[in-house]
């Protein structure tokens, strides 16, 4: 097992993608504000308040994580600004955007200012990993509920405005892209030969999109007939997911209190999409999860079919609902295709080794990146990478001991 390796190089392409991600986050925020203003303008202050509340709750959770991470990071990796200013930025809900701008500044220096030292590359990798995780949190805590609300409003009013259409499009893209970006960020802890190809990335993006779309649709349809029913359904499912995550014994944050916040946010993600949080073979956990979501979504769709009036104008929704199950099954099929033929471990298995637990189970052959300076390693994402990719218990201990002694 390789314990010493340089981080993946950060170049102009990565800088352009980071800038595009920052621009997309800004566009998504402006779109949400535009949609909320449209609700208020059309005489629906309740919808506007709910939209802004979802935005505020998601932002507050992400800012809390960002601030907790900054406080636990080594001083050398913190931005060179006063702690009081950092605290104020997070209180003003600007911490994530400050991180993005700071990362762009460091990335520009790495790419164009001839700062090619390994420490600079490691610093940029550290920043990128945190931004990827924060983007995933904020996307699922804000975009997926906003999507559900948007679809509910469109179905309730039976019309869609430009701002709503733009909001739906950007939100779906942000959700699927955040999952792909997170997965690619985890893979940066493996050797270069484990990176995703373009084809693998496209399939990974699509199968997440096809699995998330039907879930959001059936929740919106259920809310169309029983708006207050969602206020019961979501907490119950969220609580079940929270207990499931807690039983798996996560160890992501630095202390028990913040760890509960992490588990609560992961439970929200699991309400809409699969998210692995524990070491070991994920195949059976994944089957249990998708089986639960499939049954739950089917019950929501059947409840809507049972409760809808025969004279309802939304007759076209019968076709949409009938397409939801094939869409979900297509997503599962694409996932199987990805892991069977397009996953990087297919090439690795040809060399007699395994990569990820979703495919074949644990193996000592996984080569993790362990950097020369432990203080420059993002311990949070390193833990998630070890969780997501197969590594037997002896190999885990060998890896951790090697990283600590590096």
């Amino acid at each position: 097992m390789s314990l010493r390796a340089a981080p993946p190089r950060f170049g102009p392409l990565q800088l352009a993608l980071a800038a595009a991600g920052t621009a997309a986050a800004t566009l998504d925020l402006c779109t949400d504000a535009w949609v909320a203003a449209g609700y208020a303008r059309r005489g629906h202050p309740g919808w506007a308040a709910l939209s802004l509340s979802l935005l505020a709750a998601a932002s507050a959770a992400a800012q809390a994580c960002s601030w907790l991470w900054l406080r636990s990071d080594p001083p050398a990796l913190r931005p060179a600004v006063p702690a009081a200013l950092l605290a104020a930025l997070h209180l003003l809900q600007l911490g994530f955007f400050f991180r993005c701008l700071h990362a762009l500044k460091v990335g520009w220096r790495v790419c164009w200012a001839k700062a090619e030292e390994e420490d600079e590359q490691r610093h940029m990798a550290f920043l990128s990993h945190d931004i990827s995780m924060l983007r995933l949190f904020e996307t699922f805590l804000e975009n997926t509920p906003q999507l559900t609300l948007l679809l509910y409003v469109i179905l309730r009013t039976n019309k869609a405005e430009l701002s709503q259409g733009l909001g739906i499009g950007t939100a779906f893209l942000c959700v699927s892209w955040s999952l792909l970006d997170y997965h690619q960020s985890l893979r940066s802890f493996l050797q270069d030969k484990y990176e995703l190809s373009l084809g693998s990335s496209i399939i990974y993006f699509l199968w997440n999109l096809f699995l998330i779309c039907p879930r959001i649709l059936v929740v919106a349809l259920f809310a169309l007939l029983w708006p207050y029913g969602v206020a019961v359904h979501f907490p119950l499912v969220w609580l079940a997911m929270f207990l499931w995550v807690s039983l798996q014994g996560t160890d992501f944050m630095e202390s028990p209190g913040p760890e509960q916040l992490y588990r609560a946010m992961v439970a929200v993600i699991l309400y809409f999409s699969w998210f692995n949080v524990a070491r070991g073979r994920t195949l059976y956990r994944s089957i249990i999860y998708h089986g639960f979501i499939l049954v739950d979504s089917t019950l929501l769709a059947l409840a809507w079919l049972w409760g809808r009036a025969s004279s309802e104008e939304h007759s076209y929704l019968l076709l949409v609902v009938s397409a939801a199950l094939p869409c979900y099954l297509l997503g599962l099929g694409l996932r199987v295709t990805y892991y069977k033929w397009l996953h990087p471990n297919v090439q690795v298995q040809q060399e007699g080794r395994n990569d990820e637990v979703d495919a074949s189970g644990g193996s000592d052959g996984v080569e993790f990146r362990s950097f020369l300076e432990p203080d420059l390693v993002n311990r949070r994402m390193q833990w998630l990478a070890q969780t997501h990719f197969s590594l037997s218990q002896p190999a885990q201990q060998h890896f951790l001991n090697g990283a600590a002694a590096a």
Side-chain angles (χ1 to χ4, degrees), residues 63-298:
Q63 303 298 325
C65 277
S66 176
W67 175 247
L68 290 169
W69 295 350
L70 281 174
R71 291 188 61 185
S72 64
D73 287 343
L77 292 176
R78 298 172 189 171
V81 297
L85 177 58
L86 281 176
L89 287 171
H90 283 80
L91 285 174
L92 294 172
Q93 307 303 297
L94 298 174
F96 175 72
F97 287 100
F98 173 79
R99 278 180 175 270
C100 292
L101 294 176
H102 177 62
L104 290 176
K105 178 182 177 181
V106 176
W108 179 270
R109 186 169 66 244
V110 168
C111 292
W112 305 115
K114 307 301 182 183
E116 298 179 353
E117 292 83 358
E118 292 300 332
D119 283 356
E120 289 287 349
Q121 290 285 345
R122 294 188 186 95
H123 188 191
M124 190 61 220
F126 190 102
L127 297 175
S128 299
H129 291 149
D130 272 351
I131 289 173
S132 174
M133 195 67 186
L134 287 172
R135 181 182 292 116
L136 181 73
F137 283 157
E138 191 164 16
T139 296
F140 271 93
L141 267 64
E142 189 263 324
N143 285 111
T144 45
Q146 289 280 7
L147 265 173
T148 307
L149 177 61
L150 266 175
L151 287 176
Y152 165 78
V153 170
I154 291 173
L155 296 174
R156 183 71 177 269
T157 60
N158 206 27
K159 62 179 180 180
E161 295 190 356
L162 176 61
S163 61
Q164 294 172 322
L166 182 61
I168 289 177
T170 57
F172 269 123
L173 289 176
C174 285
V175 170
S176 298
W177 178 263
S178 68
L179 284 168
L180 175 61
D181 180 66
Y182 164 76
H183 187 68
Q184 289 177 326
S185 182
L186 289 185
R187 300 198 73 84
S188 68
F189 283 90
L190 303 180
Q191 298 296 344
D192 289 340
K193 60 184 175 182
Y194 293 95
E195 293 178 355
L196 294 180
S197 65
L198 177 60
S200 299
S201 299
I202 292 174
I203 296 300
Y204 193 94
F205 176 88
L206 289 177
W207 70 252
N208 279 290
L209 182 64
F210 289 148
L211 291 179
I212 293 171
C213 285
R215 177 63 174 174
I216 292 176
L217 173 64
V218 296
V219 174
L221 288 175
F222 183 74
L224 188 62
L225 293 182
W226 296 284
Y228 297 104
V230 176
V232 176
H233 177 265
F234 174 78
L236 289 177
V237 176
W238 174 86
L239 180 60
M241 295 300 177
F242 179 81
L243 293 175
W244 193 36
V245 172
S246 299
L247 289 173
Q248 295 181 62
T250 62
D251 187 24
F252 180 74
M253 304 291 273
E254 297 291 332
S255 57
E259 188 67 25
Q260 300 305 314
L261 173 63
Y262 167 73
R263 293 173 179 177
M265 292 189 294
V266 169
V268 175
I269 297 176
L270 287 168
Y271 183 84
F272 295 99
S273 175
W274 163 254
F275 189 81
N276 183 37
V277 295
R279 290 189 176 102
R281 188 175 178 84
T282 65
L283 177 61
Y284 301 122
R285 292 199 300 270
S286 179
I287 290 175
I288 293 172
Y289 170 80
H290 285 293
F292 174 85
I293 292 297
L294 185 59
V295 171
D296 182 68
S297 298
T298 301

Side-chain angles (χ1 to χ4, degrees), residues 14 31 37 50 103 192 238 243 260 288 377 388-389:
Q14 287 73 26
T31 302
L50 179 57
D192 289 340
W238 174 86
L243 293 175
Q260 300 305 314
I288 293 172
V377 178
H388 196 77
F389 301 101

